[in-house]
């Protein structure tokens, strides 16, 4: 079982990213997945997160992720907003940041860390700073969810073809993600 915590701000598509990846893994790859968002009446710009669990076998319980194997961060300023990105994290937890360089608070940490400029990929491809599909493509580069399954999920979710703008953002970040 793989547990993923996805953090971001309202309006960045955090919840949608979780849905896209769960659909890609469960429906398009024939495995099991669940995603549970954690938000209430938050507005655009407020911190939100979603939990994503991926498994080769049925998932017996429905639960938030408390000990993530992977943490995806859509906005590096979240710690300034009192969001604890390290809750439940251990040295083996892998981080994926929407950033052009590693955030200062990650320097010196033992965690494997990846960065990708999903914000600019989204702006170039969809014309808005909504990095959800771009970050889904970046996560696919880690080899857990197949990029083809993510692309198919995006096509179905956004009703666009294989050369649609969200698919292009995902492909761009899949190819651009790099270890920091």
């Amino acid at each position: 079982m793989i547990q993923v915590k996805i953090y971001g701000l309202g309006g960045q598509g955090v919840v949608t990213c979780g849905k896209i990846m769960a659909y890609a893994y469960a429906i398009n790859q024939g495995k099991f997945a669940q995603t549970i968002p954690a938000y209430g009446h938050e507005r655009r710009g407020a911190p939100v997160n979603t939990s994503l669990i991926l498994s080769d076998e049925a998932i017996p319980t429905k639960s938030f992720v408390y000990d993530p194997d992977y943490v995806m961060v859509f906005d590096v300023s979240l710690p300034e907003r009192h969001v604890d990105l390290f809750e439940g994290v251990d040295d083996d937890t892998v981080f994926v940041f929407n950033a052009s360089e590693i955030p200062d608070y990650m320097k010196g940490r033992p965690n494997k860390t990846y960065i990708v400029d999903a914000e600019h990929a989204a702006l170039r491809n969809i014309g808005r700073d909504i990095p959800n599909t771009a970050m889904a493509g970046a996560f696919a580069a880690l080899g857990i969810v197949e990029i083809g399954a993510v692309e198919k999920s995006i096509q179905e979710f956004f009703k666009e073809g294989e050369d649609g703008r969200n698919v292009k953002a995902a492909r761009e970040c899949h190819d651009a993600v790099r270890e920091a």
Side-chain angles (χ1 to χ4, degrees), residues 21-33 54-56 144-145:
M21 292 196 305
Y23 192 89
Y25 199 78
I27 304 301
N28 295 332
Q29 288 184 221
K31 298 183 181 185
F32 298 88
L54 309 170
S55 180
D56 291 339
I144 298 154
V145 180

Side-chain angles (χ1 to χ4, degrees), residues 43-113:
R43 68 197 183 289
R44 181 176 293 278
V48 297
N49 71 73
T50 194
S51 294
L52 174 65
I53 300 175
L54 309 170
S55 180
D56 291 339
E57 300 174 5
I59 303 166
T61 59
K62 200 153 185 72
S63 171
F64 290 118
V65 166
Y66 296 103
D67 301 306
D69 301 303
Y70 294 85
V71 172
M72 295 176 65
V73 182
F74 282 36
D75 190 294
V76 296
S77 74
L78 286 168
E80 296 167 19
R81 297 170 185 250
H82 308 290
V83 175
D84 184 3
L85 302 176
F86 304 106
E87 184 177 3
V89 165
D90 63 26
D91 291 352
D92 295 324
T93 302
V94 177
F95 284 81
V96 182
F97 284 94
N98 170 20
S100 55
E101 59 187 48
I102 189 169
D104 286 341
Y105 54 81
M106 288 301 293
K107 293 180 180 170
R109 290 193 60 93
N111 305 87
K112 188 177 275 194
T113 304

Side-chain angles (χ1 to χ4, degrees), residues 150-168:
V150 169
E151 290 173 351
K152 186 174 179 186
S153 181
I154 290 168
Q155 291 168 19
E156 292 167 3
F157 195 89
F158 291 103
K159 307 292 185 231
E160 62 181 36
E162 40 184 82
D163 287 326
R165 58 191 187 163
N166 285 288
V167 172
K168 287 180 182 177

